[in-house]
Amino acid sequence: MSQFFQIHPDNPQLRLIKQAVQIIQSGGIVALPTDCCYALVCQLDNKDAVERVRRIRGVDDKHHLTMMCRDLSDISLYAKVDNRQFRLLKSATPGAFTFILEATKEVPRRLSHPARKTIGLRVPEHSIVQALLEELGQPLIGTTLIMPGEGEALTDPEEVRDRLEKQIDLVIDGGACSLEPTTVVDLTDDEPQLIRQGRGDAGLFGL
């Protein structure tokens, strides 16, 4: 049975943030609110937890998981970023975007796309996520909380608990989220490519 924490979306309680981080560090899977939809996250280097996330979502290793980072310095540690890409990232972070970039050797091989060696990264603009990342001291890996066979993400923490309480370890109630997922932009080519239109304004990239 999963635990259920009510955390203030603007002023997260440090005591609960610390408890959530302990759950993550012990291999737990957490459903949490972001500046877009709810997401499923776990510790970056926990292979078993990552596989559980994939099973719950019903996706294989060709599906890009997303690395949630505190800031651009985290992104540049885990992705190869040139000056052009950095300027584009700076204009849109933190925010409702996921960027596809070439992974560095800091990224466990099982987390990058098996053929392209790319990874999805984002800097969420949400106080709860930022507090977790600060306390954890490393990125989280995760995915939008869309159940297999469904087209829309879950956005109500009570519904998340009802449907997943036997499969995950913690649900963080930070209030309802947006119905829209992130906008996904591929920055691996010379020109940005729009992969998915979501909440972020793709016009920032001329798309």
Side-chain angles (χ1 to χ4, degrees):
M1 300 289 284
S2 61
Q3 297 190 61
F4 191 81
F5 292 174
Q6 290 184 310
I7 299 182
H8 196 283
D10 300 317
N11 298 294
Q13 304 94 310
L14 183 57
R15 174 182 59 85
L16 293 177
I17 292 295
K18 287 179 178 290
Q19 289 181 34
V21 166
Q22 288 175 350
I23 290 171
I24 292 167
Q25 289 174 328
S26 65
I29 295 176
V30 177
L32 50 69
T34 74
D35 46 344
C36 294
C37 308
Y38 265 73
L40 279 182
V41 301
C42 66
Q43 193 169 26
L44 178 66
D45 48 8
N46 190 307
K47 181 180 179 181
D48 291 340
V50 171
E51 289 308 311
R52 283 177 62 203
V53 168
R54 289 191 187 278
R55 284 199 302 272
I56 293 169
R57 277 282 276 108
V59 297
D60 61 19
D61 63 355
K62 296 179 179 62
H63 179 88
H64 274 115
L65 297 180
T66 299
M67 195 177 295
M68 294 186 182
C69 301
R70 281 180 296 181
D71 51 33
L72 285 179
S73 63
D74 266 2
I75 286 184
S76 58
L77 177 63
Y78 294 96
K80 297 178 181 179
V81 179
D82 61 24
N83 290 335
R84 175 190 63 88
Q85 292 165 328
F86 185 84
R87 286 194 298 272
L88 292 171
L89 291 168
K90 190 173 182 181
S91 71
T93 55
F97 293 93
T98 297
F99 302 101
I100 306 300
L101 291 159
E102 185 179 353
T104 68
K105 292 181 180 179
E106 296 294 326
V107 177
R109 184 173 296 178
R110 66 181 179 277
L111 298 182
S112 59
H113 189 281
R116 299 183 61 207
K117 309 305 180 192
T118 49
I119 186 77
L121 302 103
R122 66 174 302 227
V123 180
E125 192 173 18
H126 195 286
S127 297
I128 292 174
V129 185
Q130 284 289 339
L132 286 170
L133 292 171
E134 183 70 32
E135 184 67 25
L136 185 61
Q138 66 174 170
L140 290 162
I141 192 79
T143 181
T144 303
L145 184 40
I146 302 173
M147 299 302 291
E150 299 183 10
E152 291 188 348
L154 300 181
T155 60
D156 181 344
E158 293 286 354
E159 183 183 1
V160 173
R161 177 164 66 170
D162 289 345
R163 297 185 63 179
L164 290 175
E165 66 177 352
K166 294 181 180 179
Q167 298 181 65
I168 65 177
D169 303 279
L170 171 64
V171 177
I172 293 179
D173 178 359
C177 289
S178 167
L179 290 170
E180 292 184 282
T182 58
T183 293
V184 181
V185 180
D186 190 331
L187 296 180
T188 56
D189 291 329
D190 291 338
E191 296 296 329
Q193 295 185 34
L194 181 64
I195 305 299
R196 179 182 71 194
Q197 178 62 59
R199 189 172 178 222
D201 180 9
L204 286 172
F205 304 93
L207 300 171

